[in-house]
Amino acid sequence: MKKKPLGRGLEALIPRSESKKEIFQLNIDEIVPNCEQPRKSYDEESLTELAESIKEHGIIQPIIVTKVDNKYKIIAGERRFRAAKKINLKQIPAIIKNIDRDGKILELSLIENIQREDLNTVDLARAYKFLINRCSYTQEELSKVIGKSRSSIANTLRLLKLPQEVLEGLKNNKITEGHARTLLALEEQNYIRDVYKKILDNNLSVRETEQLIKKLKNKNSKKIKSENPFKPFINDLEKQLENFFNTKVVISGRETKGSIKITYNSKKELEQIISKLRGERC
């Protein structure tokens, strides 16, 4: 497999001859968003602020696009594009890149968003996962391209192990990243959901969440220790004796000490039990 160029910035993935192209003023109705780009939500208040800034100062940094059929698909700068549309701009400055593969368009869009720190934690984790799974990056290569440590990438990816509702809560700022990382200490998805609900219901801090999880893990540990490992064998033996005596049998205790209780409800049942016991001795 051909190795990707490593370094910082989109220039690491776009040839130098491509990165020096001039800036064009494109009609805004000729530009289309990249539906697969990693950023899935836009804060309206923030967009309005950007739109007002553009109205006063213009668009200082051009967007980056590529020609697809008769339109220009955005590689980087969709937020500027949306803000420009808000104030009904007719044209927008753009750098046109010659990229002939949809996969490469999305790859560049992901990296641009990651480097600008323009993604929430969940979208960032999903962007990492896409680049690793679909674009064949290793964590080490990705680390060099985006300028973040490999451990930071690995820790962010771990968040995707959380249940979907918890990820949505993190994405919508119902919980913090600190809460989310604390929840990873629990392996059972149901336990994670239960603690997540307690965080929301009781407005727990990260520290309080850590204490709650510690208590829960200690409780489960004691429960496991208190369970009788001999129980499955006892249950099986009870069924065998019940079939043999044709009556209810209860075994109490552990492997080294206990009792067997055989129930009878009539003199006839007692005689049958005794008869079977005597038969076993013969």
Side-chain angles (χ1 to χ4, degrees), residues 203-252:
N203 194 27
L204 299 180
S205 67
V206 174
R207 179 60 180 159
E208 288 170 332
T209 304
E210 288 174 347
Q211 292 170 343
L212 175 61
I213 289 175
K214 186 176 180 180
K215 288 179 182 177
L216 183 61
K217 292 181 80 172
N218 286 340
K219 181 180 177 181
N220 288 340
S221 177
K222 289 177 182 177
K223 181 181 177 183
I224 291 170
K225 288 179 181 178
S226 65
E227 287 178 350
N228 186 355
F230 193 52
K231 190 65 176 173
F233 174 74
I234 288 176
N235 291 341
D236 184 57
L237 186 56
E238 282 178 341
K239 290 178 182 177
Q240 292 182 47
L241 291 175
E242 284 177 348
N243 291 333
F244 179 74
F245 291 113
N246 198 28
T247 188
K248 179 70 174 175
V249 176
V250 176
I251 301 176
S252 303

Side-chain angles (χ1 to χ4, degrees), residues 148-181:
K148 293 188 179 181
S149 69
R150 184 181 174 281
S151 61
S152 172
I153 293 170
N155 287 334
T156 300
L157 283 168
R158 285 185 67 230
L159 293 172
L160 297 178
K161 295 180 180 180
L162 293 170
Q164 185 60 37
E165 64 195 85
V166 179
L167 290 175
E168 288 302 313
L170 174 58
K171 188 173 180 178
N172 296 320
N173 298 315
K174 292 181 179 180
I175 61 171
T176 68
E177 189 173 339
H179 286 108
R181 294 193 187 283

